[in-house]
Amino acid sequence: MARPDLSAVRGLGPEVARALREAAPVVSVVGDLVLDGWWQGTTERMTREAPAPVVEVATRRYVPGGAANTAVNLAALGARVRLAGLVGDDEAGRRLTELLAGHGVDTSGVVRVRGLVTVAKNRVMVDDQVLIRLDDLGAVPAPPTALAQLAEAATAQATGADAELVCDYGTGALTGPVLDALVARPAAERPGLVVVDAHDLAPWARLRPDLVTPNAGEVAALVGLAVGDALPTDVRVERVADAADRVLAATGSQVVVVTLDHDGTMTLVREPVDAGASASAGADAPAGRAEARVRHRTWARRASERQASGAGDSFVAALTVGRAAGLPLTTSVDLAQAAADIVVQRFGTSVCSTDDLVVHLDRTGDLMLGVDELVRRLDDERAAGRTVVLTNGCFDVLHRGHTTYLTQAKQLGDVLVVALNDDASTRRLKGPGRPINDLADRAGVLSALSCVDYVTSFGTDTAVPLIRRLRPDLYAKGGDYTPQMLEETAAVVEGGGEVRILDYVSDHSTTGIVDRIRGATP
């Protein structure tokens, strides 16, 4: 059966998650394997030997961790996963390989080493609070023969795969013979997509990966950049953007997706600018002779404090599956953000599955609110100190110009509200035959974008009545307007708000797309 063509997908919905499962790309994973333990107990007294509580352990739960968790996430999203890594010939190693096999992961590339201790991280919890973590790391490093076996297994597992994912947690097992073997293999044996998720990306620049996924701390260490989460979001984003040249050069990668924890992600891309290519190719184009750095933002759905673990594994797994199956880069990043948002809501080391994404993406329609409910929500947002940004339009046949514009609007404040012209007002504005997509479909696609917090609709020819109800702090419109041209300006100012004109995005219009489609129809 032929794989579905996902290259033209621009928005997220339940059908995208299902299509990824149908595509079932083959992904090879090589990385540091960990057995995660979650031990639950109770405590009512202190020990006499030391000022420490006595925990009576009631249950012990074990799950794959580290690169093993990434492999399980890949399998849960529909990928056919081949895994290469090291475990000891011990109880923890046997338990881990059995768990992986139970998730459908091919463990034929997992090398069992006599005398090596399988890395295990056991968390002791009382009342859902981690009291202590016991790490069994082993004092003896893997012998050269084991590293040579792992190098051979890694290259074998990657042969014929759609994608290769390296998960380097800094144990030192991957940056010697394994890295040498991956670099030295013939180009024909290299998968079409190579992704590296490493604590230290510098050694992996030799591999010339297609995509890397450092977090803020890893970027800071890599290029000497201060981007701690104590800084305001706009400062962190601006610093990463300003360092794009250095980050891309230091990683040797075509694409760098920087994860900023609760501030979402930022994507840095090498993109051609010669012959006008950058105006139409988008962020998925290969590098040309001249290079520009473009950015794509996602925004995380904030969660209450929990003992969650492995959200980064879910993120890189979803990103890799999306790209391996042919999803555009920006859509893949949004998908990965959705997977991470799901996992951080859970306790312990968790997995995001296709079914989880289907439910999550289907629920994004809940962002479509009536005006009365939206007013109540925005009152709560302002009470929490958040700035409300409003923009409006038809947003029929979503394209890159739209997503760029919405990303810019989100960056102005904390909460982005998109007001859609309903079908009747769209028809009055755009003429017969429009909208191409009805209100529910347009709202569903917009709701799936991580930069959009709420969606509503209005039926008037201008957004003035709606603005008077919502009283946005900022009202954003595209760069082909000026504040003086907008009928909405007076209503915004009356409500204490400010009008912001965004950068104009050329060569992108729904009308042009529709005309091209109709012109290509026999």
Side-chain angles (χ1 to χ4, degrees):
M1 180 182 297
R3 286 185 181 176
D5 182 6
L6 305 179
S7 60
V9 174
R10 287 295 181 270
L12 281 182
E15 69 284 350
V16 174
R18 296 189 186 101
L20 291 177
R21 180 164 56 190
E22 183 182 344
V26 177
V27 180
S28 169
V29 179
V30 55
D32 297 315
L33 308 184
V34 179
L35 178 66
D36 275 355
W38 296 84
W39 300 357
Q40 182 71 53
T42 58
T43 181
E44 297 179 352
R45 58 192 174 92
M46 304 292 285
T47 177
R48 291 182 296 176
E49 293 87 352
V54 175
V55 179
E56 297 181 7
V57 177
T59 60
R60 291 176 173 84
R61 184 172 69 94
Y62 296 95
V63 293
N69 184 45
T70 304
V72 169
N73 272 272
L74 286 162
L77 293 170
R80 291 169 286 170
V81 185
R82 306 169 181 172
L83 179 63
L86 298 177
V87 297
D89 190 13
D90 53 13
E91 181 181 353
R94 287 187 287 274
R95 189 190 299 273
L96 180 55
T97 52
E98 289 172 2
L99 287 169
L100 287 163
H103 285 279
V105 174
D106 175 0
T107 60
S108 60
V110 175
V111 180
R112 184 170 294 173
V113 184
R114 181 171 297 179
L116 187 70
V117 174
T118 301
V119 175
K121 299 180 179 181
N122 297 308
R123 299 155 179 87
V124 180
M125 300 178 298
V126 175
D127 295 330
D128 290 339
Q129 176 64 49
V130 174
L131 193 64
I132 190 171
R133 196 179 86 178
L134 309 173
D135 288 3
D136 196 352
L137 304 179
V140 179
T145 53
L147 296 179
Q149 285 180 277
L150 177 58
E152 183 179 351
T155 54
Q157 294 287 66
T159 301
D162 297 298
E164 175 180 70
L165 174 54
V166 177
C167 301
D168 180 8
Y169 288 80
T171 67
L174 301 180
T175 51
V178 173
L179 175 55
D180 291 341
L182 296 181
V183 170
R185 64 190 165 187
E189 296 179 10
R190 176 183 167 117
L193 174 69
V194 175
V195 181
V196 175
D197 181 27
H199 285 350
D200 181 7
L201 285 166
W204 294 99
R206 292 173 51 209
L207 186 59
R208 309 297 295 177
D210 301 293
L211 193 158
V212 297
T213 57
N215 61 31
E218 290 158 358
V219 168
L222 188 67
V223 297
L225 193 66
V227 286
D229 60 8
L231 292 171
T233 298
D234 57 345
V235 173
R236 302 178 83 198
V237 170
E238 183 178 358
R239 289 184 179 178
V240 172
D242 290 343
D245 286 325
R246 288 186 287 149
V247 174
L248 286 162
T251 63
S253 181
Q254 294 297 311
V255 178
V256 178
V257 180
V258 182
T259 56
L260 300 171
D261 308 308
H262 55 269
D263 288 330
T265 71
M266 188 170 188
T267 304
L268 313 175
V269 186
R270 299 183 191 272
E271 185 177 71
V273 295
D274 51 306
S278 64
S280 58
D284 298 289
R289 291 189 301 275
E291 294 174 349
R293 273 69 185 180
V294 298
R295 302 188 295 276
H296 174 69
R297 279 291 312 279
T298 69
W299 281 262
R301 306 287 185 193
R302 293 186 179 234
S304 58
E305 289 296 323
R306 292 172 179 264
Q307 298 299 332
S309 179
D313 301 331
S314 299
F315 181 92
V316 72
L319 180 58
T320 302
V321 168
R323 293 300 284 152
L327 274 183
L329 174 61
T330 52
T331 310
S332 297
V333 175
D334 287 340
L335 178 81
Q337 183 66 66
D341 289 343
I342 291 168
V343 169
V344 297
Q345 302 288 343
R346 297 173 175 170
F347 191 91
T349 307
S350 297
V351 173
C352 176
S353 69
T354 298
D355 290 342
D356 292 330
L357 279 173
V358 166
V359 171
H360 178 80
L361 296 175
D362 196 36
R363 284 178 177 173
T364 56
D366 293 344
L367 300 181
M368 178 70 173
L369 299 175
V371 176
D372 291 340
E373 176 61 23
L374 180 56
V375 168
R376 286 191 288 271
R377 298 278 188 98
L378 295 184
D379 286 343
D380 291 340
E381 298 282 6
R382 290 191 184 92
R386 301 187 183 101
T387 300
V388 176
V389 182
L390 172 68
T391 192
N392 66 278
C394 300
F395 294 100
D396 193 13
V397 187
L398 197 71
H399 52 69
R400 188 186 172 206
H402 288 143
T403 56
T404 300
Y405 163 72
L406 291 170
T407 297
Q408 291 176 1
K410 173 71 174 188
Q411 291 172 335
L412 296 175
D414 303 306
V415 177
L416 177 60
V417 180
V418 180
L420 285 170
N421 290 84
D422 67 12
D423 293 344
S425 64
T426 299
R427 194 170 298 112
R428 291 196 300 271
L429 287 169
K430 302 296 183 179
R434 299 287 297 276
I436 302 297
N437 296 298
D438 64 20
L439 178 62
D441 287 341
R442 289 182 283 135
V445 171
L446 285 172
S447 295
L449 299 177
S450 65
C451 60
V452 176
D453 295 289
Y454 300 107
V455 180
T456 192
S457 65
F458 64 100
T460 51
D461 289 341
T462 73
V464 170
L466 181 66
I467 288 170
R468 287 178 174 148
R469 290 291 311 278
L470 301 184
R471 296 177 296 104
D473 300 297
L474 297 166
Y475 178 66
K477 288 298 286 184
D480 46 352
Y481 293 94
T482 65
Q484 294 74 23
M485 294 169 59
L486 298 173
E487 294 183 49
E488 292 86 354
T489 297
V492 173
V493 174
E494 287 170 11
E498 180 183 348
V499 176
R500 294 286 184 88
I501 302 301
L502 304 178
D503 295 339
Y504 179 66
V505 181
S506 62
D507 296 333
H508 293 89
S509 75
T510 299
T511 301
I513 292 172
V514 171
D515 289 344
R516 288 198 300 273
I517 292 172
R518 287 173 173 165
T521 303

